[in-house]
Amino acid sequence: MFSRKLFGAFAGVALAALSASGAMAQAKDKIKVGFIYVGPVGDHGWSYQHDQGRQAIVKALGDKVETTFVESVPEADSERAIEQLARTGHDLIFTTSFGFMEPTLKVARKYPNIKFEHATGFKRAPNVSTYAAKFHEGRYIIGQIAGKMTKSGVIGYVGAFPIPEVIAGINAFYLGAQSVNPDVKIKVVWANTWYDPAKEGDAAKALLDQGVDMLAQHTDSPAPIQAAEARGKFGFGQASDMERFAPKAQLTAIIDDWSDYYIARAKAVLDGTWKSEDTWGGLAEHMVVMSPYKNMPDDVKKMAEETEAAIRSGALNPFKCPIYGQDGKEIECKGNGALSDEQVLGMNFYVKGIEDKIPQ
Amino acid sequence: MRFELTPRTTVSPVARALAPVAAFIVSFLIAGFVIWLMGRSPIAAFDVYVLQPLSDPWSLQELLVKATPLALIAIGLSYCFRASLWNIGAEGQYVMGAILGSWLALKTHGTEAGFWVLPLMLVLGIVGGALYGLVPAFLKTRFGVNEILTSLMLVYVAQLTLDYLVRGPWRDPKGFNFPQSVTFDPSATLPPILESGRVHYGVFFAVIAVLVTAVILGRTLFGYRLKLTGDAPRAARFAGFNSRATTMAVFAISGGLAGLAGISEVSGQIGQLQPSISPGYGFTAITVAFLGRLNPLGILVAALVVALTFIGGESAQILLRLPLDLTQAFQGILLLCVLAADALVSYRIRLVTRGGGK
Amino acid sequence: MTTFEAILLTIVTASTPLLIAALGELVTERSGVLNLGVEGMMAMGAACSFAAAVTFDSTLIGVMAGMMAGALMAALFALVVLGFAANQVGSGLALTIFGLGLSGLIGAPFVGARRDPVPPVDIPGLSDIPFIGRLFFEQDLFVYSSVALTILIALYLTRTRSGLTLRSIGENHTSANALGLPVLRVRFVAILFGGACAGLAGAYLALVYTRFWSPGMTAGRGWIALALVVFAAWRPGWLLIGAYIFGAATVLQLHAQAAQFGVPSQVLSAVPYLATILALLLLSLRHGRAVGAPGSLGAPFVPDR
């Protein structure tokens, strides 16, 4: 069900170690599930959506599970918080930020009988799985919508940090826009924060002042889309459905939906079938969900729905080859008719047509 | 109605020692009341926050891990604060120390470089922090620019520098473009004291810093000069003490110790550079310095107490679902109470009730 | 509206919370008290104003609550530093830590709630003046109030007897006390005023700027306000200019990015902080040492010492 990516070396180590440990799992009647969040649960973005996933486990499994969370855990000092969960009888621990990777592995080595799940990382162990979502699938769709709907021909993008996930998002977004509007231009502003509502709002306003009329964001607060609403322009929600904050401006939102995955993993521990694996789910796996398409003409809505269906069925890959770099040279196609997973996960180039430079 | 303060002519050492204890009790009562208002049991909270961490070897070890950088930085800050110089940029000096020290670790990565790497890294850490600390000191002595603000502004600059380095030139080429450096070689890693533990040798640096400081403050001319510069700058000048040199010296000391804390954490705890290498140690250490009343041994105790609130706070989140904000609010109240209690010991306070007058 | 006008408008709104908070701190410092708790009072102002505005569905009540919260926090600070003559730097810091924590507790139930925008107030006639009309006369009430407040405080400090009293207490509390001036009472009021302003700035952030509440949303703006007071050499007029320069630096670095110059974004993000240091440096080069700092700033006042 979940698509799997294999990172040569790491996976090799993981598999070798897996066979050694023998996965001596057994079914349990009741488990404790712990969560480590990097931000406050009230951030309305990343951590908030993980907490929605936690609540979904409780709803689905009832009194078979008990859940706890620790919020606002600084990445530089997370090992202790993770170990606290390990020591207090938790059977399954989700660490939900990239920066928790090394601490998670360290604690996992000490507690081989506890299962760990690390979000967005690339190192695994016999008792550490990794998982992430193909947000770029959603970004391709919103790119198409923005490309179709823009009147000024310039679309804006508020990015958090120039890491591969965000770069891949920008590329997917731009490729989507280009597919329906070859001359479309994009302006990117880096807020250098995942979460500072006022700063994100300022970044959005700067883009709007520069004449963009479609605004995508890869930062977590509703401030950018709210700025679009205030100016009568359009935007896209990020991480959670932000319609409440921008009822007229939100065309759709890319929702991180961890519920199905979290329930499945908790069940696997209950049944004794949990295995260390790597999961990279997208629209098809319901890990990325588009909120209802609104505030747009019917033909645009129809196009968006068709694209969504095509991606879900596998007929369309946002990074289908040929892909050209900024210099116009074709990027080597290492996947099957599209860029390989590794190429997408480590993306550090802009595609042809984006005039900005990636900050180094 | 108003307060009237008069300095006490003699302050009993017993009262001075008991003041922080009283402050603790008062802040625990306030926190207990808030927890009761939130519909939880204050007694259970006290158990989870204080008693459990103190009765469990694992927590005690974690206490040392957390207290080490806090004590190191706070000891350095106490030099500045004693001279009434308000360096609140220790966080930036911590980061700069970590950056300069890590530079060597990254340079020697994958080479045959031997045992000298780690000591040199630590020295570079001290140098990096001290140089960065000297910037506000220089601006103050040379141009009279307020050190509170320059030192604070430089924190943001240091953090952005680190951010730039780990996302750009120092990024691990094999790390799928994620923002982090390579993992340090064993020759660049500060080893743990016990094989399986998390307490690294940085804890000794903190203890040494405390002892050396106690000697310097109590028994040297420099210590006396510090106190005089802070309390009576004019008298210090008359006595022939150079306040500029003192300013530079204390900033270099506090920056150096913050830098040492930075490189120790990176090489002993984290093992690589990443965009965030401090959960705000440099700022928390200011609290620690004041809680410890700028006294070296007091700071050691205060660092452990503050570490306890963090560890207890995490347990309270896990076991009692008490929010993290409560821990922070408690730290604020505790500091206010200690400062107030201190003042109460030094001054006699009378409540005067009378109309008008002035 | 031209791009240039739009950018200026954004700068004005970005600067307003800094200006309001800094004005309050300026008055406090002019009375000789250094309150480093601006960030904490601002956070409390933001949380309480938002909670009240949502509960009573009224921006006005929200603003009042924000100012009250800031003033209450300031009263706690005043109790410790005036009543007990405790160290002002430490106490201010404690206030910030306390305020950030407590605001988190108060705001938690209101995460996810939202407020409608506060409509700009159009001054008829004036707002039709080309170019400057939109900029100066079609802002929200907070912006007007912040400018009015700047003028009023400038007049108060230089033209009134009570302002003179406040300044002389800040310059030298020992001689002011000898002259029979009520040192502690004046300082108490000045601290409360500073708190109310910080609370108002927080309310502006929560109710106008972002229109939702989130933990830690002040994001260091209280510290910037403190820096601005020094930058302005404790003079309200300079404060206005300083706040707008800082606001401009933060907003323009985003524009520099959007204009695609290809400079690392971290460098651009560092510009406002480096600019502040440079400005402080230039200022003291022009005026000599420690320009305009009140003589008794930060020193606890105990009679007969």
Side-chain angles (χ1 to χ4, degrees):
Chain A
M1 66 177 265
F2 294 108
S3 80
R4 300 198 40 176
K5 67 179 152 64
L6 293 176
F7 274 126
F10 291 116
V13 173
L15 285 176
L18 187 69
S19 52
S21 86
M24 307 233 295
Q26 51 195 22
K28 291 185 170 131
D29 295 335
K30 185 176 163 122
I31 56 166
K32 269 173 96 175
V33 185
F35 289 82
I36 301 276
Y37 303 140
V38 69
V41 283
D43 71 357
H44 247 272
W46 184 254
S47 293
Y48 175 84
Q49 283 304 119
H50 284 288
D51 200 54
Q52 295 291 310
R54 178 186 69 82
Q55 292 171 21
I57 296 185
V58 177
K59 213 180 229 168
L61 301 177
D63 53 10
K64 281 195 194 147
V65 290
E66 192 186 319
T67 63
T68 21
F69 65 86
V70 192
E71 60 178 331
S72 297
V73 175
E75 294 181 338
D77 190 35
S78 52
E79 191 176 332
R80 184 188 56 253
I82 300 170
E83 195 166 353
Q84 283 258 45
L85 285 180
R87 283 166 40 86
T88 43
H90 290 81
D91 306 280
L92 174 64
I93 297 169
F94 291 91
T95 55
T96 61
S97 176
F98 173 73
F100 298 149
M101 181 162 74
E102 297 295 339
T104 303
L105 289 163
K106 273 191 211 163
V107 178
R109 267 195 295 270
K110 270 196 232 171
Y111 298 86
N113 295 323
I114 297 175
K115 317 297 182 207
F116 294 82
E117 297 264 349
H118 176 232
T120 69
F122 55 81
K123 291 188 188 170
R124 279 171 296 287
N127 58 337
V128 181
S129 284
T130 51
Y131 62 102
K134 291 175 177 169
F135 299 116
H136 62 266
E137 294 184 347
R139 295 194 180 273
Y140 188 83
I141 303 173
I142 66 171
Q144 279 197 329
I145 298 172
K148 258 278 195 277
M149 291 199 44
T150 179
K151 295 200 178 71
S152 66
V154 190
I155 50 188
Y157 205 106
V158 179
F161 292 102
I163 58 169
E165 188 199 334
V166 181
I167 304 277
I170 293 173
N171 282 337
F173 177 78
Y174 187 70
L175 289 169
Q178 229 179 7
S179 71
V180 295
N181 184 349
D183 297 325
V184 73
K185 296 255 176 289
I186 184 171
K187 281 179 193 276
V188 182
V189 164
W190 300 100
N192 274 328
T193 174
W194 281 109
Y195 193 74
D196 175 348
K199 208 168 176 184
E200 293 169 45
D202 286 345
K205 283 183 210 157
L207 284 166
L208 292 163
D209 291 347
Q210 299 249 342
V212 312
D213 59 353
M214 297 283 142
L215 195 66
Q217 62 177 95
H218 203 152
T219 55
D220 282 341
S221 89
I225 195 171
Q226 205 173 287
E229 168 112 357
R231 300 282 182 94
K233 303 289 198 281
F234 294 101
F236 304 92
Q238 151 79 5
S240 66
D241 191 344
M242 293 176 174
E243 194 187 4
R244 178 161 70 252
F245 295 98
K248 288 201 211 77
Q250 180 174 299
L251 296 166
T252 179
I254 304 171
I255 300 171
D256 315 353
D257 189 346
W258 307 105
S259 309
D260 286 2
Y261 180 72
Y262 285 178
I263 294 168
R265 300 308 277 171
K267 268 197 188 135
V269 174
L270 275 169
D271 303 344
T273 55
W274 189 96
K275 277 207 299 278
S276 169
E277 54 188 41
D278 178 42
T279 303
W280 202 26
L283 287 165
E285 292 82 9
H286 207 263
M287 216 180 233
V288 178
V289 174
M290 308 303 289
S291 77
Y293 300 104
K294 286 186 177 167
N295 299 321
M296 61 183 85
D298 286 343
D299 61 319
V300 180
K301 186 175 171 186
K302 188 157 166 282
M303 173 199 70
E305 282 165 351
E306 281 168 12
T307 307
E308 187 183 335
I311 294 177
R312 185 171 291 139
S313 71
L316 175 65
N317 183 327
F319 291 116
K320 65 176 179 293
C321 292
I323 302 264
Y324 298 94
Q326 271 181 308
D327 53 4
K329 284 194 195 121
E330 190 175 337
I331 306 289
E332 188 195 350
C333 202
K334 291 185 183 161
N336 186 16
L339 295 188
S340 70
D341 289 350
E342 288 90 336
Q343 278 178 302
V344 177
L345 287 162
M347 197 169 269
N348 67 341
F349 63 87
Y350 276 149
V351 295
K352 193 173 130 195
I354 300 182
E355 282 164 7
D356 207 350
K357 275 198 208 112
I358 296 178
Q360 284 298 327
Chain B
M1 187 184 93
R2 64 195 184 84
F3 289 115
E4 213 173 73
L5 292 182
T6 39
R8 290 182 203 270
T9 41
T10 53
V11 178
S12 104
V14 179
R16 195 165 271 288
L18 283 181
V21 180
F24 265 90
I25 295 173
V26 171
S27 29
F28 275 125
L29 289 178
I30 295 173
F33 180 67
V34 173
I35 290 170
W36 177 75
L37 276 183
M38 294 170 73
R40 312 292 171 79
S41 153
I43 295 169
F46 185 76
D47 183 44
V48 168
Y49 262 100
V50 183
L51 298 183
Q52 286 185 17
L54 287 180
S55 55
D56 167 12
W58 179 81
S59 304
L60 286 173
Q61 169 195 292
E62 289 298 326
L63 214 58
L64 288 182
V65 172
K66 185 94 188 176
T68 298
L70 291 175
L72 257 180
I73 303 171
I75 280 289
L77 288 176
S78 73
Y79 284 86
C80 282
F81 294 172
R82 271 178 182 260
S84 289
L85 291 164
W86 308 113
N87 173 13
I88 54 176
E91 182 85 0
Q93 294 141 21
Y94 171 104
V95 170
M96 271 303 169
I99 289 179
L100 200 61
S102 302
W103 168 79
L104 186 68
L106 300 179
K107 265 276 175 254
T108 58
H109 178 73
T111 64
E112 293 295 307
F115 67 94
W116 53 271
V117 173
L118 184 64
L120 202 56
M121 273 170 69
L122 296 174
V123 171
L124 281 175
I126 296 175
V127 170
L131 286 178
Y132 209 59
L134 280 172
V135 176
F138 174 74
L139 290 175
K140 178 168 180 85
T141 51
R142 182 70 184 75
F143 303 107
V145 181
N146 184 305
E147 79 281 8
I148 297 183
L149 302 164
T150 45
S151 60
L152 178 68
M153 297 288 128
L154 287 170
V155 172
Y156 301 115
V157 177
Q159 286 169 341
L160 286 163
T161 308
L162 172 65
D163 198 75
Y164 167 75
L165 288 172
V166 292
R167 290 177 201 283
W170 288 6
R171 191 170 55 189
D172 177 4
K174 294 198 189 88
F176 298 96
N177 291 313
F178 280 100
Q180 53 185 19
S181 75
V182 294
T183 316
F184 292 175
D185 289 340
S187 64
T189 303
L190 195 60
I193 295 171
L194 296 173
E195 192 72 27
S196 62
R198 291 222 303 137
V199 184
H200 55 77
Y201 278 88
V203 75
F204 290 124
F205 304 153
V207 173
I208 293 168
V210 166
L211 294 177
V212 170
T213 304
V215 172
I216 287 180
L217 292 178
R219 321 219 162 222
T220 65
L221 185 62
F222 179 70
Y224 174 69
R225 198 163 83 182
L226 266 188
K227 191 146 177 39
L228 199 59
T229 314
D231 289 350
R234 196 177 293 180
R237 227 169 299 138
F238 281 136
F241 296 146
N242 182 343
S243 78
R244 288 191 180 191
T246 312
T247 303
M248 300 295 266
V250 291
F251 265 93
I253 294 172
S254 83
L257 287 176
L260 179 62
I263 189 62
S264 302
E265 284 305 291
V266 168
S267 88
Q269 219 43 266
I270 303 173
Q272 66 190 154
L273 274 186
Q274 51 189 43
S276 142
I277 53 170
S278 162
Y281 284 136
F283 294 113
T284 312
I286 305 176
T287 311
V288 171
F290 279 111
L291 267 184
R293 299 187 299 172
L294 309 184
N295 171 311
L297 289 175
I299 285 173
L300 205 57
V301 176
L304 290 166
V305 168
V306 169
L308 179 67
T309 62
F310 280 111
I311 292 167
E314 272 165 14
S315 310
Q317 273 198 74
I318 295 170
L319 298 173
L320 303 175
R321 306 210 174 145
L322 284 169
L324 179 71
D325 303 302
L326 191 67
T327 303
Q328 206 177 12
F330 174 73
Q331 286 171 349
I333 283 291
L334 179 62
L335 182 52
L336 276 176
C337 286
V338 166
L339 290 165
D342 235 21
L344 274 174
V345 174
S346 311
Y347 302 112
R348 200 184 301 279
I349 296 181
R350 273 193 308 147
L351 198 60
V352 185
T353 41
R354 58 162 190 204
K358 289 178 179 173
Chain C
M1 189 157 53
T2 66
T3 310
F4 187 60
E5 253 185 302
I7 294 174
L8 286 180
L9 260 171
T10 310
I11 291 174
V12 169
T13 45
S15 313
T16 298
L18 299 173
L19 176 61
I20 297 175
L23 279 170
E25 178 67 13
L26 183 138
V27 172
T28 307
E29 291 193 15
R30 268 297 180 91
S31 81
V33 178
L34 178 65
N35 185 353
L36 293 185
V38 183
E39 179 83 5
M41 300 189 295
M42 214 165 160
M44 280 292 283
C48 293
S49 68
F50 194 76
V54 169
T55 310
F56 300 104
D57 194 25
S58 153
T59 301
L60 184 67
I61 294 180
V63 171
M64 304 293 274
M67 291 173 69
M68 283 281 283
L72 273 177
M73 291 285 286
L76 178 66
F77 176 77
L79 173 75
V80 180
V81 300
L82 299 181
F84 300 159
N87 179 302
Q88 292 178 7
V89 175
S91 306
L93 216 67
L95 196 70
T96 289
I97 301 169
F98 177 61
L100 288 174
L102 191 60
S103 67
L105 292 177
I106 291 171
F110 297 92
V111 162
R114 65 177 289 269
R115 298 280 307 157
D116 286 324
V118 178
V121 180
D122 198 335
I123 299 183
L126 290 178
S127 62
D128 296 333
I129 304 172
F131 190 65
I132 60 160
R134 301 280 305 256
L135 186 57
F136 289 117
F137 302 110
E138 209 184 304
Q139 297 276 9
D140 55 68
L141 264 179
F142 289 86
V143 174
Y144 298 130
S145 322
S146 68
V147 177
L149 199 61
T150 313
I151 299 168
L152 286 177
I153 288 175
L155 290 177
Y156 168 78
L157 287 174
T158 52
R159 299 287 155 87
T160 66
R161 197 177 172 76
S162 145
L164 181 68
T165 308
L166 181 117
R167 279 191 295 143
S168 42
I169 287 172
E171 277 313 319
N172 188 334
H173 51 215
T174 318
S175 46
N177 184 53
L179 288 173
L181 298 176
V183 175
L184 292 182
R185 202 187 309 157
V186 168
R187 285 190 171 168
F188 184 66
V189 176
I191 293 173
L192 285 194
F193 179 79
C197 283
L200 179 63
Y204 181 79
L205 273 181
L207 298 176
V208 183
Y209 210 79
T210 63
R211 306 201 320 269
F212 55 87
W213 182 86
S214 60
M217 63 179 293
T218 46
R221 283 175 186 76
W223 294 105
I224 303 296
L226 276 161
L228 286 172
V229 177
V230 186
F231 169 80
W234 290 269
R235 279 179 298 192
W238 279 97
L239 200 60
L240 185 80
I241 296 167
Y244 283 3
I245 291 178
F246 191 87
T250 24
V251 171
L252 288 179
Q253 65 100 352
L254 297 167
H255 280 279
Q257 284 191 40
Q260 304 175 343
F261 289 151
V263 182
S265 64
Q266 291 95 342
V267 173
L268 292 170
S269 290
V271 162
Y273 306 113
L274 290 171
T276 308
I277 296 177
L278 191 70
L280 289 173
L281 181 65
L282 291 177
L283 207 73
S284 45
L285 276 180
R286 256 193 65 199
H287 296 277
R289 303 175 60 85
V291 222
S296 295
L297 185 60
F301 171 67
V302 182
D304 312 319
R305 192 162 78 154

